[in-house]
């Protein structure tokens, strides 16, 4: 069931990206924004990571946007397997159409299995990311965002994350 849900989220996030052309101008009166990011990683011990983070936003003004951000991540290696889902609100403030500052709150649901010790656990964790970055125009109303966020709720000894600092790359259509 979890594989089906992950597959459906990846397909739906991919279809959101594929239905909006970067070179087609959006209607001037449209205040909705769409975007997100997709990640892929490989590591030692046959480690593999696949993630997607679709987002839908609304421009309250030309420089202020808020919305909902979701995330799904699937990781596996010779020693462990985990699935993580997250959802929460975000806000971004844009200035000079080249930079942004933002915040987003995520509530994560984590399912982890240690293959070596045959140990399983489910947990939940909250994250409040604060940060900002640079935006590069890639079309009439499309941008690539490069940024750095820090989870101010991160605790070294009790978090499922290895660090509170998160680099991010994403795309936004409709700004």
């Amino acid at each position: 069931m979890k594989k089906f849900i992950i597959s459906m989220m990846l397909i739906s996030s991919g279809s959101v990206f594929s239905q909006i052309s970067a070179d087609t101008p959006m209607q001037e009166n449209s205040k909705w924004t769409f975007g997100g990011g997709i990640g892929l990683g490989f590591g030692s011990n046959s480690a593999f990571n696949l993630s997607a983070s679709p987002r839908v936003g609304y421009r309250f003004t030309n420089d202020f946007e808020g919305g909902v951000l979701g995330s799904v991540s699937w990781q596996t290696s010779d020693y462990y397997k985990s699935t993580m889902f997250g959802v929460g609100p975000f806000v971004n403030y844009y200035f000079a159409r080249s930079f942004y500052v933002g915040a987003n709150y995520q509530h994560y649901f984590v399912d982890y299995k240690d293959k070596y010790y045959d140990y399983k656990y489910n947990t939940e964790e909250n994250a409040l990311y604060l940060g900002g970055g640079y935006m590069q125009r890639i079309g009439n109303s499309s941008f690539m965002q490069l940024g750095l966020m820090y989870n101010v709720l991160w605790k070294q000894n009790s978090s499922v994350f290895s660090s509170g600092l998160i680099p991010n790359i994403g795309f936004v259509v409709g700004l």
Side-chain angles (χ1 to χ4, degrees):
M1 182 66 175
K2 290 179 186 176
K3 290 181 182 181
F4 175 75
I5 292 171
I6 292 170
S7 298
M8 293 308 297
M9 289 187 75
L10 290 174
I11 289 169
S12 66
S13 67
S15 66
V16 168
F17 297 131
S18 64
Q19 291 178 4
I20 302 173
S21 171
D23 294 330
T24 304
M26 295 198 52
Q27 296 176 357
E28 288 297 322
N29 60 358
S30 175
K31 294 195 174 271
W32 292 99
T33 63
F34 303 94
I38 296 176
L40 180 67
F42 300 93
S44 60
N45 299 316
S46 302
F48 175 75
N49 177 5
L50 181 63
S51 61
S53 57
R55 71 189 281 293
V56 176
Y58 185 81
R59 288 184 299 127
F60 298 105
T61 69
N62 282 337
D63 297 327
F64 184 68
E65 169 196 31
V68 177
L69 174 68
S71 65
V72 60
S73 175
W74 180 71
Q75 300 177 29
T76 186
S77 78
D78 293 339
Y79 302 105
Y80 67 92
K81 181 170 87 171
S82 76
T83 306
M84 181 169 50
F85 296 98
V87 65
F90 76 89
V91 292
N92 286 329
Y93 181 77
Y94 303 99
F95 51 97
R97 273 298 191 224
S98 294
F99 301 96
Y100 69 96
V101 293
N104 74 62
Y105 172 82
Q106 292 280 296
H107 183 78
Y108 292 102
F109 302 92
V110 181
D111 180 27
Y112 179 86
K113 178 183 180 189
D114 188 307
K115 294 177 182 178
Y116 188 75
Y117 293 106
D118 196 31
Y119 173 73
K120 298 178 187 180
Y121 75 90
N122 295 319
T123 188
E124 297 180 20
E125 185 167 337
N126 295 311
L128 177 59
Y129 297 103
L130 304 176
Y134 173 74
M135 294 188 349
Q136 175 65 48
R137 182 182 294 274
I138 56 173
N140 290 334
S141 61
S142 303
F143 292 86
M144 178 175 64
Q145 293 181 319
L146 305 167
L148 197 59
M149 304 290 274
Y150 183 75
N151 178 3
V152 297
L153 302 178
W154 181 74
K155 295 179 182 161
Q156 183 175 3
N157 296 327
S158 62
S159 178
V160 297
F161 302 107
S162 61
S163 171
L165 196 59
I166 307 292
N168 62 341
I169 299 173
F171 297 92
V172 180
V173 177
L175 290 178

